[in-house]
Structures are given as C-alpha cells and as structure tokens.
Amino acid sequence: MPVPDWLRTAFAVVVYWTAIAVGGSVLLADPTSPLAAVPVLGGGAVAAHAARTDRLVELGYAVGTMWLAVLALSVGAGVVDFAAAPDGEIAPLADLPGVAAAGTVGLFAVLVGAYAAFARRSARRDASERD
C-alpha cells in the first residue's frame, strides 16, 4: 500500500522539527525557559518553509550539521572543563545563563545558515541542470 506524499512530508517535518527542538535546547538547564522558544518556534518555521518549498532534503542536511555543532560544542566544552579543572570536576556549562543563551541562539544560527547554504547549492545545481 503506497503512502501518500502529504503523509510522508508531514512525518518528515515532525521528525526534523523534533530534532531541531531537542538539539537546539540541549544547553538549557531549565526546559521551561523562555529561551526554549528559539529552537521550538524557529525550528517549526524553518521546517514549514522547507516543506512549502520542497527542500526537506536540504533541511535534513542542515539538521545533521546542527547536530555536528552540538557534538563539537559538547566535546570542546568537555576538553576546556577538563583542562581548566585538572582535579576532574567538570562544571556544567548549561548552568551559566550567558553560555546557555549564546549556545542556544548559536545552534539555531548554525541550523539556519546551513539550511540557507544547502538550499542555495541545490538551487544552483537545479539551475545548471536546466541549462
């Protein structure tokens, strides 16, 4: 039984939106913080734009790029905390409000920048194929 296109699109949007919301708010110590609106609402807007413009593949690459940034940030913070605290105590960076805010907005900026870059690259490729 074939799955309708609208259902596949809706499922992809929900999966990407969830990945954006979780990844973008990973630095927030309090999940009910008003700052959680940045990845949740912003991720919804980006996912809706990708669905309307048929750029879900590009959004998937952008979400992967954002998660690579989450990984790099986590590893980098762990290395810095380990080097700064040689006795082995790792202080949670998410408890610092400035770091959490900058990290949350920065991760969303990585997502939007990567989405724009992948969409631009795809549009150039589509234009060169038509010529």
Side-chain angles (χ1 to χ4, degrees):
M1 179 169 122
V3 178
D5 284 341
W6 66 268
L7 187 59
R8 275 188 283 188
T9 300
F11 182 74
V13 167
V14 168
V15 168
Y16 288 146
W17 190 9
T18 303
I20 293 167
V22 170
S25 61
V26 73
L27 292 175
L28 297 176
D30 180 16
T32 62
S33 166
L35 197 55
V38 172
V40 173
L41 297 179
V46 173
H49 180 270
R52 267 194 307 268
T53 58
D54 197 28
R55 297 277 185 218
L56 286 173
V57 171
E58 290 82 357
L59 179 61
Y61 288 134
V63 169
T65 303
M66 183 192 75
W67 274 97
L68 284 174
V70 169
L71 177 64
L73 188 62
S74 299
V75 170
V79 168
V80 167
D81 279 346
F82 183 74
D87 56 352
E89 287 186 28
I90 298 177
L93 285 176
D95 289 343
L96 303 172
V99 172
T104 300
V105 173
L107 287 172
F108 185 70
V110 166
L111 172 79
V112 171
Y115 175 63
F118 285 120
R120 206 173 318 117
R121 189 184 93 187
S122 179
R124 269 188 269 131
R125 186 183 64 230
D126 291 347
S128 69
E129 287 176 359
R130 279 184 250 142
D131 293 340

